[in-house]
Amino acid sequence: MPLPLSILDLATVARDQTVAESLAGTVALARQAETSGYSRVWYAEHHNMAGIASSATSVLIAHVAAHTSSIRLGSGGVMLPNHSPLTIAEQYGTLATLHPGRIDLGLGRAPGTDQNTMRALRRDVTSADSFPDDVLELQGYLRGQSRIPGVDAYPGKGTDVPLYILGSSLFGARLAAALGLPYAFASHFAPAALHEAVALYRSSFQPSDQLAEPYVIAAYNVVAADDQADAERQAQEVMRSRVALILRPGTEYTDEQADALLRSPQAGHLHQMMTYSAVGTPDVVREKVTAFAEESRADELMTAHQSPRVEQRLRSAELLAEAYLT
């Protein structure tokens, strides 16, 4: 039986695209996911990245929720050390009040950006150290059991928005297990510790009021197209765009220069990020997704449709659902 499928949407902005066009595409993708049988769509908090338009996750979720009717929407995730737990409780409590039963709150402890931008966010370099306590404080606000005397989240109190711990290392696995929360592993860009983290989480899981049994969500890259060669061209275009990650900010480059860099040892990390990926026609993608579902021991797959253009991502999501869920 196939696992539930979900989507991680970074609201990617292509080179020749405006942010407004990207955000319109985000709405279209959520609508596609809703009609195709996906369980949820999550949006990731990143900052100071011109190619990603999902920095304000709660605002984006509110907009998408107003243009959909049933699919679950959430953060994948909010980088909690960038914010006060009370503020996040108020934001997601508002969302849950407006859209009952549809809101998830995935939490991470990374900055979602570089060191200079961390300072612009007014984030202290040691703020990640308090992540476990911040998660508990946030949970208390949402459950109406505040840990800060005399302080409650309005809206938010009693909404009990479900929490998910995101991670790419053993730290998140240990924390999710100790708190009895679902665990989502970022294997779409940090594959190395997937198996060890999932094993640790499952073996040390402690039941909680939210969750009786461990629940693992594993992320997986997908580029599905009607034609194999087209899928491979799309994947190559995605890799060319990622060359910017190893260059000085603002550096311009041609496709030929990008391809040359991708063949160099300097780009090894970029290729490793795509370890868990399916690129191809529906049959090819279904086979690879099925194998990953078994290998990862996941309970749900969070697919990142990496095609460079909105219409390509829509088609990729449609083809995967048809091939895997039906």
Side-chain angles (χ1 to χ4, degrees):
M1 184 173 179
L3 298 183
L5 284 183
S6 296
I7 290 177
L8 175 66
D9 184 3
L10 299 179
T12 305
V13 184
R15 289 184 185 181
D16 58 348
Q17 187 181 44
T18 67
V19 172
E21 289 169 338
S22 169
L23 295 178
T26 287
V27 172
L29 183 58
R31 286 175 167 171
Q32 176 69 64
E34 189 168 71
T35 59
S36 296
Y38 286 85
S39 298
R40 66 186 98 230
V41 181
W42 281 0
Y43 306 95
E45 178 187 342
H46 291 283
H47 299 280
N48 196 29
M49 296 184 184
I52 296 177
S54 57
S55 55
T57 57
S58 61
V59 178
L60 185 56
I61 291 167
H63 180 65
V64 175
H67 290 81
T68 52
S69 60
S70 60
I71 193 164
R72 296 192 68 90
L73 302 166
S75 59
V78 162
M79 300 298 105
L80 190 55
N82 292 344
H83 314 273
S84 74
L86 178 60
T87 298
I88 297 304
E90 292 168 341
Q91 291 176 3
Y92 281 79
T94 299
L95 288 169
T97 301
L98 292 170
H99 307 283
R102 295 184 58 198
I103 303 301
D104 300 327
L105 180 46
L107 302 168
R109 67 180 181 128
T113 190
D114 55 72
Q115 294 291 322
N116 285 336
T117 310
M118 278 180 61
R119 287 191 284 271
L121 288 166
R122 304 297 190 267
R123 173 173 172 169
D124 185 273
V125 293
T126 64
S127 56
D129 297 342
S130 63
F131 180 65
D133 291 333
D134 288 346
V135 172
L136 291 173
E137 182 182 338
L138 172 58
Q139 187 179 61
Y141 291 133
L142 294 171
R143 288 184 173 175
Q145 301 168 353
S146 176
R147 291 170 171 257
I148 310 298
V151 178
D152 280 299
Y154 301 109
K157 182 178 181 179
T159 55
D160 209 12
V161 178
L163 303 183
Y164 298 74
I165 299 297
L166 279 60
S168 58
S169 69
L170 302 186
F171 179 92
R174 289 191 186 95
L175 180 62
L179 299 182
L181 295 176
Y183 180 52
F185 191 88
S187 35
H188 65 300
F189 75 88
L194 171 64
H195 299 295
E196 188 177 2
V198 170
L200 175 63
Y201 168 73
R202 290 194 178 281
S203 66
S204 55
F205 179 83
Q206 299 296 314
S208 68
D209 291 341
Q210 178 176 329
L211 194 63
E213 300 288 339
Y215 193 86
V216 172
I217 301 175
Y220 191 67
N221 297 299
V222 175
V223 178
D226 294 282
D227 177 76
Q228 183 70 31
D230 183 31
E232 292 173 1
R233 282 192 297 269
Q234 292 180 33
Q236 182 67 10
E237 190 172 342
V238 171
M239 292 302 295
R240 287 169 177 165
S241 70
R242 294 190 174 189
V243 165
L245 298 174
I246 59 175
L247 297 175
R248 183 174 299 177
T251 300
E252 296 184 0
Y253 56 89
T254 65
D255 288 347
E256 292 74 17
Q257 290 170 326
D259 291 343
L261 274 171
L262 288 170
R263 291 190 295 269
S264 72
Q266 188 180 1
H269 177 63
L270 299 183
H271 293 290
Q272 184 190 34
M273 289 170 63
M274 298 294 285
T275 297
Y276 293 123
S277 302
V279 177
T281 60
D283 288 345
V284 170
V285 169
R286 180 181 63 246
E287 182 179 347
K288 291 187 175 182
V289 168
T290 300
F292 177 73
E294 296 176 357
E295 176 188 351
S296 64
R297 298 178 61 204
D299 300 292
E300 179 179 336
L301 299 182
M302 182 68 65
T303 56
H305 292 269
Q306 298 285 4
S307 299
R309 305 200 61 79
V310 169
E311 61 272 15
Q312 294 167 333
R313 293 195 291 275
L314 290 171
R315 184 60 174 155
S316 180
E318 180 182 26
L319 290 173
L320 174 60
E322 290 174 354
Y324 184 74
L325 293 177
T326 59

